[in-house]
Amino acid sequence: MEAMLNTAGRVITCKAAVAWEAGKPLVIENVEVAPPQAMEVRIKIMFTSLCHTDVYFWEAKGQAPLFPRIFGHEASGIVESVGEGVNDLQAGDHVLPVFTGECKECAHCKSEESNMCDLLRINTDRGVMLSDGKTRFSKNGAPIYHFLGTSTFSEYTVLHVGCLAKINKSAPLDKICILSCGISTGLGATLNVAKPKKGSTVAVFGLGAVGLAAAEGARISGASRVIGIDLNPNRFEEAKKFGVTDFINPMDHKKPVQEVIVEMTNGGADRSIECTGNINAMISAFECVHDGWGVAVLVGVPNKDAMFTTKPINFLNERTLKGTFFGNYKPRTDLPKVVDMYMKKELEVEKFITHKVSFSEINKAFDYMLRGEGLRCIISLE
């Protein structure tokens, strides 16, 4: 804490994992991190993990590449210093940085029904800070770009105050860091949007970390049956830990998977959550729910130009199709409550953590994900 007070208002030199070009291993560099400007906060990252979104933009296969860049957005940290106008955070506070935000001023933030902040909504193209259009990272005077307004693959990073959730100081930072993105997305899709009743049947499409978090939400809700659908049968055994009771590999069936689910559930699942972004899976997720009360929730992100078709009669027969962004959680308001769920032992987080590496070994985390091994790899910056 004393050291943090000594650095307030000054440029900090620290280690960061810099992506110099697409698809090439990250390089641990000494970088300069400028002090926070108005409505900004500089934090010391304690633990970060790797999410598929980092890998997607590091590979730069589907978007305009922006390099050099510091990736990372799923993390936990401690406030080092705050900029002008920041009143609800101070040095020493424990926080989760979030790829989206909550300004608390816009129409979305003031609405109980939305978490899609006008000011701080996810922007994958922007590599600079909102206040002045400049970066807070540099090396030898040359700017290094930000990612998702978070850039957690650095010992220190600067964020807009609206992208930080202040959390319980007694929560273990090496565990709850994974609640700042994927796990909360899947969990909230079930608890906040699908809202399955106790004893219901829930179908989950895609058994990666987000899908398993959706299954965890179904377990917490008291679902009696959770059907996991995935093309990779190697994921089935692990998924049992998250309350998944039945498994379907669509490749094992000659008919569409929605027909298989309707047959095995006597008319359809009560709820379904789609976590793959695959268009066919989205159609299946909608068409597999029961008429009269079935609700399907889309979580996976497709190509922005992708389209899918279904018969309008599916809606007229009282099936509901919903979408969700970040599990409908408002970051500053709701994430502290998700952390509290973990502290009360209502939510199990440890089972998502399958690997741990030191910051110097960060490229190993990319290797694990590219090989499809494990769920979440914790990278320690301590």
Side-chain angles (χ1 to χ4, degrees):
M1 183 75 167
E2 193 67 35
M4 290 187 178
L5 293 172
N6 292 340
T7 52
R10 300 181 186 174
V11 172
I12 289 177
T13 300
C14 70
K15 289 193 171 2
V18 179
W20 289 101
E21 52 184 306
K24 293 288 168 63
L26 306 188
V27 182
I28 304 287
E29 304 273 12
N30 284 317
V31 301
E32 293 86 42
V33 185
Q37 303 296 314
M39 301 309 288
E40 295 174 1
V41 180
R42 187 164 59 185
I43 68 171
K44 179 176 172 57
I45 296 291
M46 302 304 291
F47 298 92
T48 186
S49 56
L50 181 63
C51 169
H52 190 265
T53 306
D54 296 305
V55 176
Y56 180 74
F57 283 89
W58 165 73
E59 289 179 320
K61 288 178 178 172
Q63 70 296 114
L66 185 62
F67 295 94
R69 204 169 199 182
I70 295 173
F71 288 103
H73 64 281
E74 204 172 79
S76 59
I78 299 173
V79 173
E80 175 269 339
S81 61
V82 302
E84 185 187 339
V86 176
N87 301 316
D88 51 354
L89 286 174
Q90 60 187 33
D93 283 343
H94 288 201
V95 289
L96 295 181
V98 189
F99 66 90
T100 182
E102 183 184 352
C103 72
K104 300 198 173 182
E105 301 293 328
C106 70
H108 282 276
C109 286
K110 287 180 175 173
S111 165
E112 288 180 9
E113 298 181 61
S114 175
N115 66 335
M116 301 189 73
C117 175
D118 278 328
L119 180 69
L120 301 169
R121 190 179 304 187
I122 183 171
N123 183 331
T124 56
D125 296 327
R126 188 174 62 234
V128 294
M129 298 302 288
L130 280 171
S131 63
D132 59 2
K134 294 178 181 172
T135 69
R136 300 289 172 264
F137 297 112
S138 60
K139 182 169 175 66
N140 301 328
I144 298 174
Y145 294 108
H146 296 248
F147 179 62
L148 296 184
T150 51
S151 291
T152 62
F153 294 167
S154 175
E155 291 177 325
Y156 287 87
T157 187
V158 178
L159 301 91
H160 190 284
V161 64
C163 298
L164 287 165
K166 181 180 173 180
I167 54 159
N168 182 343
K169 272 192 178 175
S170 58
L173 294 175
D174 61 332
K175 309 279 197 312
I176 51 105
C177 59
I178 65 169
L179 295 177
S180 69
C181 178
I183 307 310
S184 294
T185 296
L187 183 74
T190 304
L191 297 182
N192 299 334
V193 189
K195 298 179 181 172
K197 294 183 168 67
K198 198 172 166 118
S200 59
T201 296
V202 179
V204 177
F205 288 75
L207 298 176
V210 176
L212 292 176
E216 177 77 355
R219 180 190 71 77
I220 292 168
S221 300
S224 62
R225 197 173 179 193
V226 180
I227 303 166
I229 301 99
D230 202 293
L231 295 169
N232 182 358
N234 295 333
R235 289 177 159 178
F236 293 169
E237 193 57 39
E238 181 84 10
K240 290 176 184 174
K241 295 183 199 168
F242 299 83
V244 184
T245 56
D246 301 68
F247 298 92
I248 301 173
N249 180 348
M251 304 300 282
D252 294 343
H253 300 272
K254 291 198 170 108
K255 60 175 83 165
V257 71
Q258 55 266 46
E259 293 179 21
V260 178
I261 294 168
V262 167
E263 279 178 20
M264 67 190 279
T265 55
N266 195 22
D270 301 304
R271 301 288 186 267
S272 73
I273 297 118
E274 193 289 317
C275 302
T276 71
N278 177 283
I279 294 300
N280 293 322
M282 291 179 173
I283 298 168
S284 298
F286 178 49
E287 295 182 354
C288 83
V289 297
H290 208 292
D291 57 4
W293 62 79
V295 178
V297 179
L298 304 185
V299 183
V301 181
N303 181 297
K304 67 182 190 320
D305 298 320
M307 300 173 78
F308 72 78
T309 55
T310 188
K311 294 173 181 168
I313 194 71
N314 290 324
F315 291 98
L316 298 175
N317 286 338
E318 297 180 13
R319 292 177 187 85
T320 300
L321 180 64
K322 291 184 171 186
T324 177
F325 169 69
F326 191 50
N328 281 37
Y329 287 120
K330 289 181 186 278
R332 295 161 88 179
T333 302
D334 298 328
L335 268 195
K337 299 171 196 166
V338 180
V339 172
D340 290 342
M341 280 178 68
Y342 166 72
M343 296 300 282
K344 291 178 192 160
K345 296 189 165 46
E346 293 165 10
L347 165 65
E348 296 170 13
V349 163
E350 284 85 353
K351 58 194 178 186
F352 288 96
I353 300 167
T354 50
H355 296 87
K356 294 180 182 178
V357 298
S358 65
F359 192 34
S360 61
E361 301 173 306
I362 189 168
N363 288 302
K364 275 191 186 172
F366 280 75
D367 293 339
Y368 292 138
M369 186 161 281
L370 291 169
R371 290 200 300 261
E373 292 177 22
L375 296 172
R376 278 295 185 263
C377 178
I378 303 296
I379 301 153
S380 170
L381 279 81
E382 281 193 300

